[in-house]
């Protein structure tokens, strides 16, 4: 490590500039959320969906491309932590897509050290503290690693800043990706220690870092980091003196990785045993479009997804490769000026080669990428995730550049001449980089011209071009003026800090706390009435993937989904959005909501829709146009209608009422029939259009005798609303109940909720069975409709049910555990409409284990003989117990690697401080 008597003036100023940069970055981005002023989560975007739209518009500046972070990640972590605090480790979540493994897998990163805030702090502040934890880990790792290589503290701090604010770390915030990537610097620090010093405790350090990465829940980043680390170990280990030293280095690194794998086995082993379900249909994808490399210095060149704004070929979360103008200039400084003399030889060259290699693989691909993706593990992982390694390597090389500039600013003493590549090599490498830049520029021009976005790209290039001109001017001034040379490091640090902070402030969230999963009246109604069954909604209602948070079952959602379940969802409607991890129904026509045998099979008891979706038999008033009535704020108009059940009242606006984006106008209706009163309200988030408008009321049970008195009024309007009227008063149409299999049971400002009258219980008896081995035939039969008490089996069961009946009493229906009392008149099957016909679920009848049979294509059935029986189903996460045992043993080994050498030294049994070394090398 570099030895210094103290920081020079240039070093002190540069270090201070980076520290001030960190303080400004935190203060101007997620700092307020650390103390509950806002939420460091993109929940503002939920306002685009009903019923949340009723309370306000999506705030300007909201990120639209990070829905996963709050619907799946945040909700999953909160649910696990809440259950654990009540003494339950929830290995299964039952709320979406028929259920899925939960805390037994690392997907939610609940056991990652980075996720500690969720365990000890209120959930609404936890995301910000997670980000602060990531920052601390990156700073410690970068400073420690670069210190081992002889790099100044200021350069180590800058490397931490560049890596922490690179495109991967910024855009993937609140995903597991960054919770894994923050350990990359510490991984290289630990690997360097075990290769160079080869001590037992260094093996333990490698193990702890690897385990932390694996528990972070995103193995692709770990894979690419370990691949890069393996190359580093091979090269540096080969350079150690003597064969025994080299073998010891390799053995120590490999042992540390294996021990880390064992430490994390409690979640990695269940993950491996679920791997087929996770990887089924997985595509590693090719290289990123090379024009996206422009985002390395101009992050907004193709849009950022802020306010839904992007025009590039790839989602900005995947596509932005930002490292910053300042970092790129510092990398080029190394090429021109070389490294400082005190930096460990060979490191700069090795890291530069690795950087060029990964850039080629990620953004150019070709034969090298094809070869890499022919290997196991690489053939199922998206190469774009290796952008984390690129950001890390750019940060390291930029640190070498800053170290060189600070050394020059200190007026290097004799004997400390910089180390440069030969001139010919620098010219060749410079020409290669220049050709690459020209190629990327040509790609940018071609793609933007074809997409007609040249103007957008050019606009976003203006500010980065100014940063680039300023940086070049500073560097040139430093070359020709010794006095100017002293400010070059600080000036380039300021360019790095200011550009990164501006971009982070743009893309990092600071949402209104009131938008953090508000509970609407519709959610309260469903929670009170849904029981063990399910609800579903149309395309823009409820954002179904947040159902986990509200503890409401729905057949769609955001989880890894079993293929049979996906096929059933797709059969509901061809327009159903179906991916391996995300499903959502479209707005179905009324006839497909109420009379849909597949929704019956899914036990969809309720259908939720937008407040305008009032359906039924419509009767218009005798005349819309004979007059008008003008209603100011809260002023009421009334009409009379024949009594009887109704779902809504229809009035007509004589002219459009324009609204601002932030306005929310509420149309109210009150219906009185004798002593019975029902009310409804509908939110208008955009202009109230001229013509009829439907105001829903849950009035299907109103008396049918006499007249109904209807009152209508508006609140929140900035100008009067003019409605059509007749000579007798307000002109009112009516929407009556129809024979559509629906019953309107709830309305509020943001929702209408229909009960589906033909829905089947989620846990039910099938007294008749039929074996249908063909999957398409099963789906076709289910789509047309089978008898409510019939089950279709994929394969023969122990008996054929031919008409029995049973009383079914669910005694317990928890996440991962179901108990049912059955009293059957004959043999039959207990059908559970969940996605549980998979490894891990075990069924017993009166304590004796029985086969759990695939049923109705995506569900499960338990064979139950005649008589009274207790049926239990339990999820036993595959590999969890074995993984816990392995992790426990590995924890003891890891502790021993730290403790035993200390005890030996203190007791004097080792005789010297080298007692914990892995080999007997000569010093």
């Amino acid at each position: 490590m570099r030895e210094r008597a103290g920081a020079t003036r240039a070093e002190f100023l540069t270090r201070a500039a980076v520290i001030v940069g960190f303080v400004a970055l935190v203060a101007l981005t997620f700092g307020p959320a650390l103390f509950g002023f806002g939420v460091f989560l993109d929940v503002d975007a939920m306002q685009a969906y009903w019923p949340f739209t009723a309370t306000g518009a999506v705030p300007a500046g909201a990120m639209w491309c990070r829905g996963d972070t709050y619907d799946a990640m945040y909700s999953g972590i909160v649910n696990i932590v809440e259950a654990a605090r009540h003494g339950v480790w929830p290995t299964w979540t039952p709320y979406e897509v028929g259920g899925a493994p939960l805390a037994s897998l690392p997907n939610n990163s609940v056991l990652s050290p980075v996720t500690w805030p969720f365990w000890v702090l209120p959930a609404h502040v936890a995301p910000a503290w997670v980000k602060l934890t990531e920052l601390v880990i990156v700073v410690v790792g970068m400073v420690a690693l670069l210190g081992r290589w002889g790099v100044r503290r200021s350069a180590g701090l800058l490397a931490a800043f560049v890596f922490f604010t690179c495109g991967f770390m910024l855009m993937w915030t609140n995903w597991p990706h960054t919770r894994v990537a923050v350990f990359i610097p510490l991984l290289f620090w630990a690997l360097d220690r075990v290769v160079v010093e080869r001590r037992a405790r260094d093996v333990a350090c490698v193990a702890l870092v690897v385990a932390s990465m694996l528990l972070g829940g995103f193995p692709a980043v770990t894979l690419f980091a370990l691949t890069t680390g393996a190359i580093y170990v091979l090269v540096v280990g080969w350079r150690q003196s003597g064969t025994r030293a080299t073998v010891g280095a390799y053995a120590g690194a490999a042992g540390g990785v294996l021990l880390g794998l064992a430490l994390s086995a409690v979640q990695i082993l269940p993950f491996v045993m679920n791997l087929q379900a996770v990887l089924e249909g997985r595509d590693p994808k090719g290289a990123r479009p090379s024009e996206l490399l422009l985002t390395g210095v101009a992050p907004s060149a193709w849009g950022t997804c802020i306010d839904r704004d992007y025009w590039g070929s790839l989602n900005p979360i995947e596509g932005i490769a930002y490292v910053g103008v300042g970092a790129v200039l510092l990398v080029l400084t190394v090429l021109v000026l070389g490294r400082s003399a005190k930096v460990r030889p060979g490191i700069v060259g090795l890291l530069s080669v690795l950087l060029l290699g990964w850039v080629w693989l990620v953004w150019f691909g070709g034969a090298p990428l094809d070869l890499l993706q022919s290997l196991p593990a690489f053939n199922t992982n998206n190469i774009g995730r290796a952008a984390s390694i690129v950001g890390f390597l750019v940060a390291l090389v930029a640190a070498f550049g800053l170290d060189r500039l600070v050394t020059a600013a200190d007026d290097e003493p004799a004997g400390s001449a910089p180390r440069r590549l030969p001139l010919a090599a620098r010219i060749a490498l410079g020409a290669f980089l220049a050709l690459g830049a020209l190629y990327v520029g040509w790609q940018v021009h071609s793609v933007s011209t074809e997409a007609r976005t040249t103007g957008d790209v050019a606009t976003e290039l203006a500010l980065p071009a100014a940063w680039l001109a300023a940086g070049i001017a500073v560097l040139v001034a430093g070359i020709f003026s010794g006095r100017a040379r002293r400010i070059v490091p600080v000036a380039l640090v300021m360019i790095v800090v200011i550009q990164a902070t501006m971009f982070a402030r743009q893309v990092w969230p600071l949402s209104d706390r009131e938008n953090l999963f508000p509970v609407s009246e519709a959610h309260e109604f469903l929670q009170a009435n849904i029981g063990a069954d399910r609800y579903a909604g149309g395309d823009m209602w409820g954002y179904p993937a947040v159902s986990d948070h509200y503890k409401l079952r729905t057949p769609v959602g955001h989880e890894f989904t079993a293929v049979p379940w996906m096929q059933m969802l797709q059969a509901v409607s061809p327009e159903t959005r179906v991916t391996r991890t995300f499903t959502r129904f479209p707005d179905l026509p009324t006839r497909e909501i109420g009379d849909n045998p597949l929704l019956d099979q899914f036990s969809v008891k309720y259908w939720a829709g937008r407040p305008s979706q009032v359906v039924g038999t419509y009767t218009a008033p005798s005349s819309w146009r004979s007059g008008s009535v003008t209603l100011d704020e809260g002023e009421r108009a009334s009409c009379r209608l024949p009594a009887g059940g109704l779902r809504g009242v229809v009035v007509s606006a004589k002219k459009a009422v324009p609204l601002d984006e932030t306005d929310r106008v509420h149309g109210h209706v009150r219906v009185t029939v004798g002593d019975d009163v029902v009310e409804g309200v509908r939110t208008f988030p955009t202009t109230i259009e001229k013509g009829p408008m439907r105001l829903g009321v849950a009035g299907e049970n109103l008396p049918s005798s006499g007249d109904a008195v209807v009152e209508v009024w508006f609140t929140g309007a900035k100008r009067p609303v003019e409605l059509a009227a007749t000579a007798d008063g307000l002109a009112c149409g009516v929407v009556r109940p129809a024979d559509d299999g629906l019953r309107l049971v709830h309305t509020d400002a943001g929702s209408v909720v229909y009960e589906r009258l033909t829905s089947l219980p989620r846990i039910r008896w099938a007294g008749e069975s039929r074996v249908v081995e063909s999957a398409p035939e099963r789906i076709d039969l289910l789509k047309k409709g089978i008898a409510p008490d019939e089950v279709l089996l994929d394969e023969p069961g122990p008996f054929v049910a031919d008409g029995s009946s049973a009383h079914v009493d669910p005694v317990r229906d928890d996440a991962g555990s179901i108990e049912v009392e059955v009293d059957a008149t004959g043999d039959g099957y207990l059908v559970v409409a969940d996605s549980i016909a998979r490894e891990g679920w075990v069924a017993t009848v009166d304590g004796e284990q029985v086969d759990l049979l695939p049923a109705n294509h995506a569900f499960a059935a338990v064979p139950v003989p005649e008589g009274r029986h207790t049926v239990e189903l339990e999820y036993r996460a595959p590999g969890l117990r074995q993984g816990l045992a392995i992790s426990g043993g590995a924890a003891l080994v890891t502790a021993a690697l730290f403790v035993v050498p200390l005890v030996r030294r203190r007791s004097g049994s080792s005789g010297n401080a080298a007692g914990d070394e892995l080999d007997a090398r000569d010093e």
Side-chain angles (χ1 to χ4, degrees), residues 758-777:
T758 56
S759 172
L760 298 173
R762 204 182 103 256
I763 300 173
R764 53 188 184 260
W765 180 257
E768 296 185 6
S769 63
R770 192 180 354 162
V771 176
V772 182
E773 296 181 354
S774 167
E777 185 180 352

Side-chain angles (χ1 to χ4, degrees), residues 151-223:
V151 177
R152 296 170 181 267
R153 181 68 55 81
S154 61
L157 290 170
L158 181 79
F161 195 98
V162 171
F163 180 50
F164 186 68
T165 59
C166 73
F168 185 90
M169 300 296 289
L170 289 175
M171 302 307 292
W172 288 107
T173 285
N174 285 322
W175 264 289
H177 305 48
T178 59
R179 298 177 198 183
V180 176
V182 292
F183 288 101
I184 297 175
L186 281 175
L187 173 66
F188 276 74
W189 167 81
L191 290 174
D192 189 74
R193 285 175 62 93
V194 81
V195 168
V196 175
E197 301 175 36
R198 302 183 294 285
R199 295 173 299 188
R201 65 172 177 262
D202 298 323
V203 175
C205 287
V206 173
L208 289 174
V209 175
V210 170
S212 297
M213 296 181 78
L214 290 171
L215 292 173
F218 199 78
V221 174
T222 306
L223 171 68

Side-chain angles (χ1 to χ4, degrees), residues 448-467:
S448 61
T449 300
E450 184 177 352
R452 298 182 180 179
T453 58
T454 304
D456 295 318
V457 174
T459 299
E460 297 297 339
L461 283 176
L463 187 57
W467 290 122

Side-chain angles (χ1 to χ4, degrees), residues 482-505:
R483 184 172 298 178
R485 187 181 306 156
R486 296 171 185 172
I487 67 167
V488 170
V490 173
L492 285 180
V493 165
M494 295 305 295
I495 290 175
V496 169
V497 166
I498 295 174
Q499 187 185 16
T501 302
M502 289 175 62
F503 184 55
R505 185 173 170 81

